[in-house]
Amino acid sequence: MRMRIIFLAAMCVLLSPVTPAAEKTTADAIRTAAHSFLATWADSLSNRGYEGTYEIGHIDSRLALASCHQPLAAEFSGDPLRTTSPSVLISCRGERPWRMYVTTSVRVIGPALVAARPLARGERLTKDLLSVKQVQLNASRRGVLTDEASVDGMMMRRPVNAGTILTPDLLEAPNAIERGDHVMITARSGSFSVTSRGKALANAGVGEQVLVENLRSSRTVKARAVGPGRVEIPM
């Protein structure tokens, strides 16, 4: 009887199916998911006129995570247009979820705006002061500028040499109002408004507050610049 029980127990072990718990997600599966995601990303860049290349970092070959019974999800954990080493988050969203970060090295090459000649501080940009050059767009965490229309009329915060790649921190919007300018003051409440003339007591960009002297009453009021020569105050 005892031998029969041992025999039956052994047969149960041999005939029992392999459980999902025994299955694992390997390093090769992780690498394949990261490669597929990055290849799709590089293709999307080419559709925008950019060139993207990438390398996947080391993944320990001994890695064995819980099996995932649905396609692995992948996403960048950082902006690949602002860093050369964004991590890719690989995750399983199934019954036994897990997450893993894979290190990468990426390069994005594309057209960017550069100074066509030396530019002085306070100089206002026009299209003839700009040129376009193929650069590594993600080499600067500050980002780069690529659209001429978006910088037309902007002013240089500091001087730069010819060929300098233009980044957002190098530019500032010109003042809509300069100190001493005569401005139109509009006091608005809903659809009702009253206008009067005034004089700006400081510089201000659009959206900024500025002190204005009302030329009729000689009172100083705080207003908001809404455009060149125009300010508004609430009623």
Side-chain angles (χ1 to χ4, degrees):
M1 173 65 74
R2 182 179 178 186
M3 290 298 295
R4 183 179 179 185
I5 293 174
I6 294 174
F7 174 77
L8 290 174
M11 290 298 293
C12 288
V13 170
L14 291 173
L15 296 178
S16 62
V18 177
T19 62
E23 300 173 8
K24 298 294 181 181
T25 300
T26 65
D28 286 342
I30 298 291
R31 180 174 291 276
T32 297
H35 174 75
S36 177
F37 170 75
L38 290 167
T40 301
W41 166 76
D43 287 342
S44 71
L45 288 179
S46 65
N47 294 334
R48 297 163 55 187
Y50 301 155
E51 177 188 352
T53 58
Y54 61 88
E55 293 182 2
I56 299 173
H58 174 71
I59 302 175
D60 192 336
S61 60
R62 298 169 296 178
L63 181 72
L65 298 174
S67 176
C68 192
H69 299 291
Q70 57 182 275
L72 297 178
E75 60 183 297
F76 281 117
S77 64
D79 185 351
L81 293 181
R82 288 182 178 269
T83 178
T84 58
S85 55
S87 294
V88 172
L89 173 61
I90 306 295
S91 61
C92 174
R93 299 171 181 170
E95 295 179 358
R96 301 177 64 189
W98 50 259
R99 292 156 37 114
M100 176 181 172
Y101 289 94
V102 176
T103 59
T104 69
S105 175
V106 302
R107 283 171 55 89
V108 182
I109 307 298
L113 299 178
V114 301
R117 63 165 176 76
L119 300 175
R121 177 183 177 184
E123 190 164 0
R124 187 165 296 193
L125 292 180
T126 57
K127 290 184 178 181
D128 60 301
L129 298 179
L130 306 171
S131 62
V132 177
K133 181 181 178 181
Q134 293 289 118
V135 303
Q136 184 176 347
L137 299 177
N138 64 333
S140 171
R141 292 182 179 273
R142 297 170 295 177
V144 299
L145 298 169
T146 60
D147 182 16
E148 288 185 347
S150 67
V151 302
D152 190 33
M154 298 287 280
M155 294 174 59
M156 298 300 302
R157 287 183 184 271
R158 57 179 183 267
V160 299
N161 296 322
T164 298
I165 300 172
L166 297 184
T167 55
D169 61 301
L170 291 176
L171 308 180
E172 62 183 355
N175 290 325
I177 295 171
E178 299 285 347
R179 179 175 180 174
D181 283 354
H182 281 236
V183 298
M184 184 64 67
I185 305 171
T186 301
R188 190 182 302 279
S189 176
S191 59
F192 177 75
S193 63
V194 177
T195 61
S196 58
R197 300 195 64 81
K199 184 173 73 172
L201 303 181
N203 302 335
V206 172
E208 295 179 339
Q209 290 191 332
V210 60
L211 292 177
V212 178
E213 179 187 355
N214 187 312
L215 296 179
R216 177 177 299 175
S217 65
S218 296
R219 292 179 56 193
T220 298
V221 296
K222 183 181 291 186
R224 181 173 61 88
V226 295
R230 295 183 296 113
V231 301
E232 284 188 0
I233 57 175
M235 291 182 64

